[in-house]
Amino acid sequence: MRSLLFVPGDSEKKLEKGLTSEADVLLIDLEDSVSAERKAAARQITADFLKSNHGKSAPRLFVRINDLSSGLADNDLAAVMPSLPVGILLPKSNSGKDVTQLSTKLNVHEALTGLAEGVTQIIAIITETAIGTLSAGTYPDASKRLIGLSWGAEDLSAVIGATAVRDEAGRYTDVFRMARAVTILGASAADVAAIDTVYIDYRNEEGLIRECTEAARDGFTAKLAIHPAQVPVINQVFTPSAEAIEQAERIITAFADNPSAGVIGIDGKMFDRPHLKRAERLVTRARSL
């Protein structure tokens, strides 16, 4: 999983276009991109789309429901779960308890649809509220369904009253840098994917490349997208290079040949056990792609 593309759930045209975007995951949105008057129509369009595309290998179809406190989440789930989405994207998650609560709801829907319990996956956006940002460490053991954590800046800025999320140089200000950092740490603690937030200036390819590169450097393994044009850049940056895979495999082989070693020398460079763990993760991710 490298790219996750948002598509409004009330637009059949955009949903069909999303199928050809080469995104790894299509995030069918019932929340922010759908007005209150269009919620019911979006649920029906989304359910029909899921049903007609069920079982296809790519992209994987997730649905972003409305948050648990909105009063709309149960209606969202009732509408889409019979059409068997691969997963649910939970916005405005305040803690691991919200993921556990969603998982319990999914247990019921899976039973009603004859699905095995636990097959529907969950990704959570964890920094759209102040308490959510401060609760990033609560996701270990929240649910076996959880496969990824992501973050968002715009909703958080509205909650705290910030007038901008970036400074004059285009860098995130301190609060949003913190939200970004705790997402990486929270995902690592829960042993799930760390997914970087959207880059809203979708015509600025240079800026997108820079942000993807920095995200991959810091530990993110995927990124949200708001436009199909962003998907190729995201896929390219978050796909491990042949050179990186080869180096990782050499590290793994060297430690396998010397299982009692704490440090290994390769081409004049020293690698220890943390390097081995990072190499194993990279190879595993490359194989999954």
Side-chain angles (χ1 to χ4, degrees), residues 242-274:
E243 294 80 4
I245 296 170
E246 180 184 4
Q247 176 77 332
E249 289 175 338
R250 292 183 67 191
I251 293 171
I252 293 168
T253 299
F255 276 101
D257 292 341
N258 300 273
S260 62
V263 178
I264 293 287
I266 301 175
D267 296 337
K269 294 182 179 180
M270 303 304 295
F271 298 91
D272 55 17
R273 290 284 168 174

Side-chain angles (χ1 to χ4, degrees), residues 33-276:
S33 66
V34 178
S35 66
E37 306 80 51
R38 292 282 295 167
K39 296 290 187 186
R43 292 183 186 117
Q44 186 60 56
I45 292 169
T46 296
D48 292 343
F49 179 79
L50 289 169
K51 191 176 297 183
S52 62
N53 290 282
H54 175 67
K56 292 184 178 180
S57 58
R60 296 154 65 192
L61 303 180
F62 276 60
V63 177
R64 176 163 71 169
I65 61 172
N66 289 274
D67 69 273
L68 295 178
S69 66
S70 67
L72 301 172
D74 286 338
N75 288 338
D76 292 341
L77 292 172
V80 304
M81 284 302 294
S83 298
L84 312 180
V86 172
I88 299 296
L89 175 63
L90 176 65
K92 299 179 178 65
S93 181
N94 287 320
S95 72
K97 291 181 180 179
D98 281 0
V99 169
T100 303
Q101 182 181 351
L102 174 58
S103 182
T104 301
K105 292 177 183 293
L106 293 178
N107 288 344
V108 176
H109 286 286
E110 288 169 344
L112 291 173
T113 6
L115 291 173
E117 185 176 296
V119 298
T120 310
Q121 299 172 337
I122 296 174
I123 297 171
I125 304 179
I126 67 170
T127 70
E128 294 180 304
T129 67
I131 191 63
T133 305
L134 296 172
S135 303
T138 64
Y139 289 89
D141 304 319
S143 173
K144 292 182 179 179
R145 299 174 183 274
L146 186 66
I147 66 164
L149 298 180
S150 189
W151 72 289
E154 301 304 325
D155 284 278
L156 181 59
S157 70
V159 167
I160 66 175
T163 58
V165 302
R166 298 176 187 264
D167 61 19
E168 295 79 3
R171 302 290 178 177
Y172 285 113
T173 58
D174 287 348
V175 171
F176 304 101
R177 288 169 59 198
M178 174 185 169
R180 179 181 182 275
V182 298
T183 301
I184 298 173
L185 296 172
S188 179
D191 196 23
V192 298
I195 304 166
D196 195 24
T197 192
V198 297
Y199 184 71
I200 62 174
D201 188 3
Y202 65 87
R203 290 191 176 91
N204 183 355
E205 184 172 310
E206 181 179 344
L208 176 62
I209 292 171
R210 181 179 63 251
E211 188 157 289
C212 288
T213 302
E214 292 174 353
R217 175 201 65 197
D218 292 343
F220 288 104
T221 57
K223 188 170 179 64
L224 304 176
I226 57 169
H227 193 280
Q230 295 179 316
V231 171
V233 171
I234 294 172
N235 284 348
Q236 181 178 1
V237 175
F238 286 98
T239 300
S241 67
E243 294 80 4
I245 296 170
E246 180 184 4
Q247 176 77 332
E249 289 175 338
R250 292 183 67 191
I251 293 171
I252 293 168
T253 299
F255 276 101
D257 292 341
N258 300 273
S260 62
V263 178
I264 293 287
I266 301 175
D267 296 337
K269 294 182 179 180
M270 303 304 295
F271 298 91
D272 55 17
R273 290 284 168 174
H275 290 102
L276 172 61

